[in-house]
Amino acid sequence: MSWTDERVETLKRMWAEGQSASAIAKELGGVTRNAVIGKVHRLGLSNRNDEAEAKPAPAPAAEKKTEKKPAQARPEPAPEQAAAKPEPAPAKEAAPQPVFTPAPRRPIVPAGQPLPPQPSANEISPEALASVREVEKKARKLSLMELTERTCKWPIGDPATDKFWFCGLPSQPGKPYCEAHVGVAFQPMSSRRDRRR
DNA sequence: CCCTGATTCGC
DNA sequence: GCGAATCAGG
């Protein structure tokens, strides 16, 4: 795969959204997170350091453990000048986008998996429910940003309060939830008897 | 251990 | 320019 205009655009967009390099790599496909990071750096958008850091007294030479790696020679003390630059992108590329898509609430969910259903809205078998209660005590209480493809994404608590987190236990391979939550998330239709009291 | 980005350097 | 290997940190 090569960095086509479109792919670069996706890269820029996702990076701007705060997506991780691995997430971007996964989205693009055909590239590793290293490739993404490398590209990000080459594009010069590694970090949007706005303000420059005043370096009053740069430490002289505090290299100590240099003996570890042979390729550490940096014969380029030349001070790079790129400090006071309000606009990271000079007037070079003409990408007229006067209106940035407002798209305000675009929650960043690591996995492309469907969001967990509301557990409370379901009628769950007593056993499974008990199992979940049990598991929730052991939950790692991960925040949204801490979720990965192999952590259970089952929500616990009220999103409107601080008492909210995700299960975070090891998820089943290929599944968005841990074993216990898979049990309550993927119920056979047959078991969902319509028990009208 | 899982993950993150940063950097180097051979290609 | 590209990205694997590596480094450094959480």
Side-chain angles (χ1 to χ4, degrees):
Chain A
M1 281 283 187
S2 60
W3 286 108
T4 62
D5 221 38
E6 194 176 330
R7 288 165 65 79
V8 170
E9 201 173 326
T10 300
L11 165 59
K12 284 181 178 176
R13 178 177 53 77
M14 293 184 70
W15 185 262
E17 287 176 7
Q19 303 274 8
S20 71
S22 58
I24 298 173
K26 188 179 58 183
E27 172 70 23
L28 291 172
V31 288
T32 64
R33 75 180 193 91
N34 278 317
V36 170
I37 292 173
K39 186 60 178 175
V40 162
H41 278 237
R42 265 171 259 126
L43 288 172
L45 39 73
S46 57
N47 45 254
R48 33 44 173 336
N49 281 349
D50 215 52
E51 300 315 301
E53 283 92 34
K55 278 206 179 288
E63 276 103 71
K64 323 190 161 189
K65 51 185 175 180
T66 331
E67 317 309 291
K68 202 168 188 181
K69 302 187 312 172
Q72 192 66 1
R74 247 331 34 143
E76 198 163 272
E80 287 299 312
Q81 73 317 317
K85 195 165 273 192
E87 188 63 31
K92 189 177 290 180
E93 49 195 306
Q97 284 194 332
V99 180
F100 234 65
T101 303
R105 310 303 160 237
R106 184 66 172 90
I108 302 171
V109 178
Q113 308 297 341
L115 280 174
Q118 288 302 319
S120 58
N122 279 332
E123 294 292 344
I124 303 172
S125 67
E127 309 86 57
L129 227 174
S131 176
V132 169
R133 288 278 147 70
E134 191 68 25
V135 168
E136 293 187 354
K137 293 175 185 172
K138 303 174 185 173
R140 292 175 62 201
K141 302 187 178 182
L142 296 184
S143 71
L144 184 59
M145 295 304 294
E146 293 172 313
L147 292 176
T148 72
E149 290 155 31
R150 51 192 59 166
T151 59
C152 179
K153 299 167 192 61
W154 193 270
I156 301 173
D158 188 345
T161 71
D162 290 349
K163 272 197 64 179
F164 180 71
W165 53 77
F166 292 90
C167 173
L169 292 173
S171 62
Q172 296 294 92
K175 299 288 180 58
Y177 311 121
C178 67
E179 186 171 12
H181 286 134
V182 162
V184 296
F186 302 115
Q187 288 186 61
M189 303 260 294
S190 54
S191 71
R192 303 181 61 181
R193 294 297 338 172
D194 180 72
R195 47 131 200 186
R196 44 6 182 186
R197 213 169 325 176

